[in-house]
Amino acid sequence: MTLTTDAAATPAAETRQPILQARNLVKTYGRVVGLDGVSLDLYPGEVLAIIGDNGAGKSTLIKCLTGAEVADEGEILLDGKPVHFKRPQDAHLAGIETVYQTLAVSPALDVASNLFLGREERRKGILGSVFRMVDKKGMRKKARQQLADLGITTLQDVTVPVENLSGGQRQAVAVARAAAFGSKVVVLDEPTAALGVRESNQVLQLVKNLRDRGIPVILISHNMPHVFEVADRIHIQRLGKCATTITPQSHSMTDAVAIMTGARKA
Amino acid sequence: MSQSTQQVPATTGPHDLAEEFLDRTTPLSRLRNVLHRYPALSPAIVLVFAVIVFGLLNERFLNPANLSLITQQVAVVGTLAIAQTLIILTAGIDLSVGAVMVLAMMITAQVTVQTGIPAILGLLLGLVVGLAAGAFNGFLVTKLRLPPFIVTLGTLNIFLALTLLYTAGATVRGGDMPDLLTWSGTTFNIGGVNFTTGVLMMLVLYFVIAFILNNTSWGRHVYAVGDDKEAARLAGIRVNRVLMSVYLAAGAILAIGAWIQIGRSNAASPNASGDLNLDSITAVVIGGTSLFGGRGTVWGTLLGALIVGVFRNGLSLAGLDVLWQTFAVGVLIIVAVSVDQWIRKVRK
Ligand SMILES: Nc1ncnc2c1ncn2[C@@H]1O[C@H](COP(=O)(O)OP(=O)(O)OP(=O)(O)O)[C@@H](O)[C@H]1O
Ligand SMILES: [Mg+2]
């Protein structure tokens, strides 16, 4: 793992073409309005944090962006071209990886199987092509490598079923999966919620590393110090709408919380 | 902790981290963790124990002829139970397996005998019937999102009625059928024990399905879908496709079961389904597969089917009333499910 201290990312991103854009997304659940016309731009090489109170629509927003939900209205553009993600796999194929708040791991499957779930690697030669055998050994080896790269040392045996892991370890598995496969955009919905101090810092470091590799990250978090540490811009979600987008330079944490809770107008 | 790079699968590892990681205080909890990791272990223990006890009670039990009889009695339900395992692994249940098998069997037998088409075409027709029935169940489960229990309760009645309407209740005798259809009943001898081709067909199916479940992406997806549907969907698995393919595979297996049944009874009778629907579930449950989905193996199911066969046979050799066999199977089911619940308490 390279220990790059984050080179202050360019805030003047507006001149560049966004990688991922959302235009006026609306999503309702029966009579509940989850998203009420939300737009969002994600530029290359930036960390965009999304903050907001419980129920503000953060998870709904990223679900619509990643194919987990289909928005009722609005459009999504990837590299300026409209995309219609009908299912999570569509977003995977476009290089967008997500850690959902619910983690989306399969409890009975082991760590390695979970890391490669939905994109298992086949064995070489006739065993793979004709007998469709998955390369268990190879995937275990890569899984170990991925976890080591993330600095996750508490998880040594990748053949343990995920249900035997602690909440934080499960989260680490989900984060490792997204980091390993995200080639275009990585989306993290409260990835440090169950993590200890050391593990949280590792995830923050991972976010910075992804950015340094040019992969933009959307990070949802309730932890303001974390947000202000890694974010280039902060999208404040309030009551299903985007209240405003700020930067750690333009606003203080107190300001951000005030806007988030509605104590102050954006 | 040594970080060896050429780590081997945990089954042979000197220190099994999974076990180490779990609670290791009492011997009981350690036992539970082992049973949790190897769900086929508890039925294996029960089977070995039962064979020893019945062998001691009656020397005729371990007679090669008697052992052969047990395998033959188990062949049909054992085959249906493979289909049942696949569906239960997806957190479903199929009450219609016996009905589908009988429908496929009657259409194969009657059409072949009445029209004189080659037997292989008759068998293929049975396969088509099995697949169609599976597709119908799968359609109702995936597209209409009905619970599998309700769907198959309905189709159980539909398929039974169709069978009786089609056959008018008439049995097709084995002697009237081409040899290929009754081939599954022919016997051969291995080491003094007679096996039927049908038993062999069942065993081959177990190997094939076990291989697929353990070694292919599809197999993993079946477990993932049964484990947590939403998590599987978010991980990029096409849940409905997996479910549909499971119902289709079950239909194909049931068609093979139909062939085995013809050989076993040397006839095709529309009333053959009898208790097969529920007996297949019994085998799966006793075999350690969880009714909540995502957990279990087909080998456990084979053991479950053998346990039921051994108990029935052993108790009848001991001269007990048939009803005591039924009683014993009932006890086995409840014990198996209780053990499963206890094992699943490893976490949560
Ligand atoms: N599947 C659903 N069915 C019904 N309502 C939903 C569903 N998902 C979200 N909602 C509603 O949409 C609104 C936004 O929810 P969302 O999960 O996006 O909030 P959030 O900002 O992620 O909150 P948190 O910080 O608690 O995770 C809430 O009012 C919620 O009740
Ligand atoms: Mg949320």
Side-chain angles (χ1 to χ4, degrees), chain A residues 99-196:
Chain A
V99 175
Y100 293 99
Q101 198 169 0
T102 51
L103 296 183
V105 287
S106 269
L109 294 181
D110 63 39
V111 173
S113 303
N114 261 291
L115 280 172
F116 287 90
L117 190 56
R119 50 198 140 202
E120 291 80 3
E121 293 182 352
R122 294 234 191 97
R123 289 186 53 167
K124 295 212 171 56
I126 189 166
L127 288 176
S129 57
V130 177
F131 293 101
R132 315 231 137 208
M133 283 180 80
V134 294
D135 184 7
K136 288 187 193 173
K137 248 195 189 147
M139 288 195 291
R140 281 190 198 136
K141 200 168 158 208
K142 286 189 188 170
R144 251 175 251 128
Q145 190 59 47
Q146 283 167 19
L147 292 167
D149 286 351
L150 281 179
I152 296 163
T153 48
T154 60
L155 237 180
Q156 304 213 333
D157 186 354
V158 293
T159 64
V160 183
V162 162
E163 65 194 336
N164 294 354
L165 303 181
S166 72
Q169 289 173 318
R170 286 183 208 199
Q171 205 149 33
V173 171
V175 172
R177 177 166 69 185
F181 291 101
S183 58
K184 194 138 195 149
V185 175
V186 170
V187 181
L188 306 168
D189 193 348
E190 304 197 23
T192 56
L195 298 185

Side-chain angles (χ1 to χ4, degrees), chain B residues 314-346:
Chain B
L315 290 173
S316 92
L317 278 186
L320 285 176
D321 193 290
V322 180
L323 290 176
W324 286 111
Q325 300 173 23
T326 311
F327 183 92
V329 171
V331 172
L332 276 175
I333 294 173
I334 291 171
V335 169
V337 174
S338 315
V339 170
D340 178 52
Q341 290 283 23
W342 178 68
I343 291 172
R344 282 158 52 83
K345 274 203 217 113
V346 166

Side-chain angles (χ1 to χ4, degrees), chain B residues 15 28 32 40 90 137 144 340:
Chain B
H15 54 273
L28 202 62
R32 178 158 77 183
T90 67
N137 280 337
L144 300 191
D340 178 52

Side-chain angles (χ1 to χ4, degrees), chain B residues 189-213:
Chain B
N189 194 296
I190 300 177
V193 182
N194 276 326
F195 288 95
T196 63
T197 322
V199 171
L200 190 72
M201 282 158 66
M202 174 193 77
L203 286 176
V204 169
L205 265 181
Y206 270 98
F207 273 104
V208 169
I209 300 298
F211 175 86
I212 292 176
L213 281 177

Side-chain angles (χ1 to χ4, degrees), chain A residues 27-35 50-63 69 101 189-190 220-222 237 239-240:
Chain A
K27 176 76 192 174
T28 53
Y29 298 100
R31 292 171 60 201
V32 179
V33 181
L35 290 181
I50 302 179
I51 61 173
D53 274 336
N54 294 130
K58 305 180 295 296
S59 297
T60 309
L61 174 58
I62 63 105
K63 280 184 185 165
E69 300 268 10
Q101 198 169 0
D189 193 348
E190 304 197 23
I220 298 180
S221 179
H222 287 290
Q237 184 73 16
L239 303 174

